[in-house]
């Protein structure tokens, strides 16, 4: 008989605390590195590592969870914000871009065991076929991050098998930087401190805040 092992949570690994530790690391970089160029290099390394960590965690979550788990990844970043005058604005949708499932960082959370099993078998034996009526995604170019909100199971299989391409709507996340910030748990309007929503994952907050800081550094370099 197989022995069932109970997974125990590490009490030191709480999302809010991990967010704080990541911000502390970023502050250390900003305080100790003399060159803005070196600061950007290290922040970019952090972004690459955290993107991959989140990508893999989402892909494998279904294997470690009960059949009907509650985790969802809806709208990783705010698409709406308010300016200093209180005007409600939205990120502008830009021209669609082709995403390479083999090389781009794609976030997708498969949630149905049957659908995933079928797509794993399908993609093992066949090429990935893009379907504009099924594969829907956003791409945030400055973050180098693609978020899939439909066709999750076939895309997940394509990512693991490194097969296929999809189209994604592009949004310039840098528009949000002056107006939105996060504490790793919620999004806030930077002018009014009004809460704009909860984060789907604390790592999205880390990615956002590091990218915002990197963007400022790059402007000073240029």
């Amino acid at each position: 008989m197989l022995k069932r092992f109970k997974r125990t949570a590490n009490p030191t690994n709480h999302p809010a605390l991990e967010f704080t530790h990541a911000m502390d690391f970023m502050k250390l970089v900003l305080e100790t590195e003399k060159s803005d160029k070196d600061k950007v290099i290290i922040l970019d390394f952090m972004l690459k590592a955290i993107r991959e960590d989140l990508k893999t965690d989402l892909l494998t979550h279904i294997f470690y969870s009960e059949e009907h788990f509650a985790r969802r990844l809806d709208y990783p970043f705010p698409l709406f914000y308010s300016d200093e005058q209180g005007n409600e604005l939205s990120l502008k949708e830009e021209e669609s871009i082709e995403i390479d499932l083999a090389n781009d960082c794609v976030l997708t959370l498969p949630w149905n065991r049957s659908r995933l099993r079928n797509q794993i078998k399908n993609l093992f034996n066949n090429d990935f076929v893009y379907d504009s009526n099924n594969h829907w995604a956003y791409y945030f170019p400055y973050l180098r991050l693609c978020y899939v909100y439909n066709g999750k199971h076939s895309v997940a299989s394509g990512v693991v098998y490194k097969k296929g391409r999809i189209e994604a709507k592009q949004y310039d996340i840098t528009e949000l930087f002056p107006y939105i910030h996060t504490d790793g748990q919620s999004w806030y309007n930077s002018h009014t401190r009004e809460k704009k929503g909860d984060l789907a994952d604390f790592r999205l907050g880390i990615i956002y805040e590091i990218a915002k800081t990197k963007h400022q550094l790059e402007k000073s370099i240029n």
Side-chain angles (χ1 to χ4, degrees), residues 13 54 59 96 137 143 175 216:
N13 291 339
L54 179 56
L59 284 170
S96 294
L143 303 180
E175 291 179 23
Q216 285 295 323

Side-chain angles (χ1 to χ4, degrees), residues 69-128:
F69 58 83
R71 184 179 184 182
R72 293 291 181 266
L73 185 71
D74 299 322
Y75 301 103
F77 305 102
L79 297 181
F80 301 91
Y81 62 97
S82 302
D83 64 13
E84 297 91 333
Q85 289 74 42
N87 299 310
E88 288 293 327
L89 303 171
S90 61
L91 291 184
K92 299 179 185 68
E93 181 182 328
E94 301 178 351
E95 185 178 355
S96 294
I97 187 173
E98 186 178 74
I99 301 298
D100 183 353
L101 301 183
N103 296 306
D104 290 318
C105 187
V106 178
L107 304 183
T108 181
L109 177 62
W111 54 272
N112 184 287
R113 293 181 175 187
S114 258
R115 292 185 191 181
L116 183 60
R117 291 201 317 270
N118 288 337
Q119 289 299 334
I120 290 170
K121 292 181 291 185
N122 176 43
L123 264 294
F124 181 82
N125 294 302
N126 302 288
D127 291 333
F128 182 95

Side-chain angles (χ1 to χ4, degrees), residues 5-222:
F5 290 92
K6 183 179 180 181
R7 299 179 74 206
T8 56
N10 184 339
T12 64
N13 291 339
H14 184 276
L17 190 57
E18 290 180 301
F19 176 87
T20 299
H21 290 329
M23 293 300 97
D24 287 344
F25 191 99
M26 180 175 72
K27 289 175 187 174
L28 179 67
V29 170
L30 298 177
E31 291 169 358
T32 58
E33 296 295 329
K34 297 179 180 179
S35 160
D36 283 348
K37 182 178 178 181
D38 287 341
K39 293 174 186 176
V40 168
I41 289 171
I42 296 170
L43 294 185
D44 197 43
F45 180 91
M46 291 180 70
L47 287 170
K48 289 178 181 177
I50 296 165
R51 282 197 305 261
E52 289 300 313
D53 178 45
L54 179 56
K55 167 187 164 182
T56 305
D57 180 46
L58 292 171
L59 284 170
T60 57
H61 185 76
I62 192 170
F63 306 136
Y64 306 138
S65 305
E66 60 187 5
E67 183 172 1
H68 302 292
F69 58 83
R71 184 179 184 182
R72 293 291 181 266
L73 185 71
D74 299 322
Y75 301 103
F77 305 102
L79 297 181
F80 301 91
Y81 62 97
S82 302
D83 64 13
E84 297 91 333
Q85 289 74 42
N87 299 310
E88 288 293 327
L89 303 171
S90 61
L91 291 184
K92 299 179 185 68
E93 181 182 328
E94 301 178 351
E95 185 178 355
S96 294
I97 187 173
E98 186 178 74
I99 301 298
D100 183 353
L101 301 183
N103 296 306
D104 290 318
C105 187
V106 178
L107 304 183
T108 181
L109 177 62
W111 54 272
N112 184 287
R113 293 181 175 187
S114 258
R115 292 185 191 181
L116 183 60
R117 291 201 317 270
N118 288 337
Q119 289 299 334
I120 290 170
K121 292 181 291 185
N122 176 43
L123 264 294
F124 181 82
N125 294 302
N126 302 288
D127 291 333
F128 182 95
V129 178
Y130 169 65
D131 181 356
S132 61
N133 292 317
N134 181 50
H135 298 119
W136 303 341
Y138 297 147
Y139 184 67
F140 303 95
Y142 188 73
L143 303 180
R144 298 180 184 175
L145 203 58
C146 177
Y147 160 65
V148 173
Y149 61 98
N150 204 65
K152 298 176 183 180
H153 301 87
S154 53
V155 170
S157 302
V159 168
V160 174
Y161 283 128
K162 299 189 180 300
K163 289 183 178 182
R165 298 171 182 271
I166 62 172
E167 294 290 320
K169 300 173 184 177
Q170 287 195 91
Y171 290 93
D172 182 6
I173 198 76
T174 64
E175 291 179 23
L176 286 184
F177 289 165
Y179 307 106
I180 296 290
H181 70 276
T182 179
D183 60 3
Q185 298 181 84
S186 302
W187 300 105
Y188 298 93
N189 181 295
S190 297
H191 305 293
T192 65
R193 303 289 176 176
E194 177 190 2
K195 182 177 174 180
K196 304 297 288 185
D198 295 326
L199 271 74
D201 190 285
F202 74 98
R203 284 163 292 198
L204 293 169
I206 296 173
I207 290 169
Y208 179 84
E209 290 297 336
I210 292 176
K212 183 162 64 173
T213 301
K214 178 188 166 191
H215 188 251
Q216 285 295 323
L217 287 169
E218 289 173 333
K219 287 197 295 186
S220 68
I221 292 172
N222 298 330

